[in-house]
Amino acid sequence: MTTAELAERVNTGGLYKKRDGSPVTPFQIHGRTRKYPQLFSRAGSTISLARWGDSSNPASIDEPSRTVPDTAVRSITPSPAVASDVQASLLNDEAFRPAGSIDPEVPDRPGLYAIKVRDRAALPQPFCNLLDSRDSDLIYVGIASTSLRKRFLGQELRARGHGTFFRSIGAVLGFRPPSGSLVGMANSRNYTFAAQDNGAIIDWINANLIVNWIEFAGAHAVEESALLRAHTPLLNLQGNPAALPLLKALRAECVRIANAGATTV
């Protein structure tokens, strides 16, 4: 099961109570299982019992049988497409390439895309440590419903339009939009950075990120959603069970700055 699924089971089943009454998080599941490699096998955000069903392990012979209701099995079984071809292709380590070298290759077709950081230390704190806690270099997964060239390359990596990832990584790196730059605009949330800052963010992206994409005819949000639940990329907010409150706060700060002086926000 994924850390998010395990946390949900722990919380709904009342299996563990924290002193402050707050729910157990996927981060805590990840951290706790990491301390006991003799008990748990970990693959990204997926956790398995290390010796489950191993007849060579005496401790497993007397293990009582465990029956999972059919409804529970259906609720945690990922889409076969995502679990096999889509996920394997999109997250194949060998397929990732430097973000600065892909411009001529990105197709004008729908698909899914994934973004990783080369070196976690390139991210400012506390994001570096937060990524370490997930034991993953994956920081974003997205969907381009019509064109990877326009959405993924243009908006997310090159600041041509309103890229969700670009706005997030810019805020994480410490950049802020010009004060009042959204006043009078129809959309009071789609902040942008100054042209000079855009250039600095793009330079950072090209130097520190590696990316991959797959063409996916008729791409649907269900595949993206399954990937978010399974891998909880650091900078995804919507649909991410482990979305970072800190990232939400940084983006909200950018919105406030860009709307400074407006009558209403």
Side-chain angles (χ1 to χ4, degrees), residues 60-76:
S60 70
I61 296 176
D62 297 327
E63 182 74 23
S65 61
R66 296 157 190 249
T67 302
V68 180
D70 289 341
T71 53
V73 172
R74 285 194 294 271
S75 70
I76 64 175

Side-chain angles (χ1 to χ4, degrees), residues 17-163:
K17 298 293 185 182
K18 295 167 63 176
R19 290 183 179 179
D20 63 2
S22 64
V24 173
T25 68
F27 298 130
Q28 291 167 318
I29 295 291
H30 189 283
R32 185 60 59 89
T33 55
R34 188 177 189 177
K35 293 181 179 179
Y36 300 97
Q38 74 278 17
L39 298 178
F40 301 104
S41 296
R42 298 158 59 253
S45 63
T46 302
I47 310 295
S48 306
L49 286 174
R51 297 185 177 86
W52 185 262
D54 181 1
S55 59
S56 65
N57 175 26
S60 70
I61 296 176
D62 297 327
E63 182 74 23
S65 61
R66 296 157 190 249
T67 302
V68 180
D70 289 341
T71 53
V73 172
R74 285 194 294 271
S75 70
I76 64 175
T77 301
S79 162
V82 173
S84 55
D85 296 339
V86 173
Q87 183 165 265
S89 298
L90 183 64
L91 302 183
N92 177 10
D93 288 336
E94 296 181 359
F96 279 77
R97 65 205 82 174
S101 67
I102 63 169
D103 294 56
E105 304 175 40
V106 182
D108 188 23
R109 294 178 56 82
L112 297 165
Y113 53 91
I115 302 173
K116 292 184 177 183
V117 64
R118 290 176 183 266
D119 181 359
R120 299 174 193 177
L123 289 170
Q125 293 291 10
F127 293 95
C128 174
N129 285 346
L130 289 170
L131 194 57
D132 276 339
S133 73
R134 302 190 186 199
D135 195 24
S136 170
D137 298 325
L138 184 67
I139 60 173
Y140 198 82
V141 168
I143 185 170
S145 57
T146 57
S147 171
L148 284 160
R149 173 166 290 277
K150 179 180 179 181
R151 177 63 181 170
F152 166 52
L153 178 64
Q155 297 179 358
E156 301 286 42
L157 302 180
R158 302 293 179 254
R160 295 194 290 268
H162 301 291

Side-chain angles (χ1 to χ4, degrees), residues 198-230:
N198 280 343
I201 296 167
I202 292 170
D203 288 343
W204 188 93
I205 286 174
N206 290 341
N208 293 286
L209 300 184
I210 54 176
V211 301
N212 189 33
W213 67 87
I214 57 172
E215 295 181 34
F216 199 62
H220 298 291
V222 64
E223 284 80 14
E224 180 192 25
S225 179
L227 285 162
L228 293 176
R229 292 196 304 271

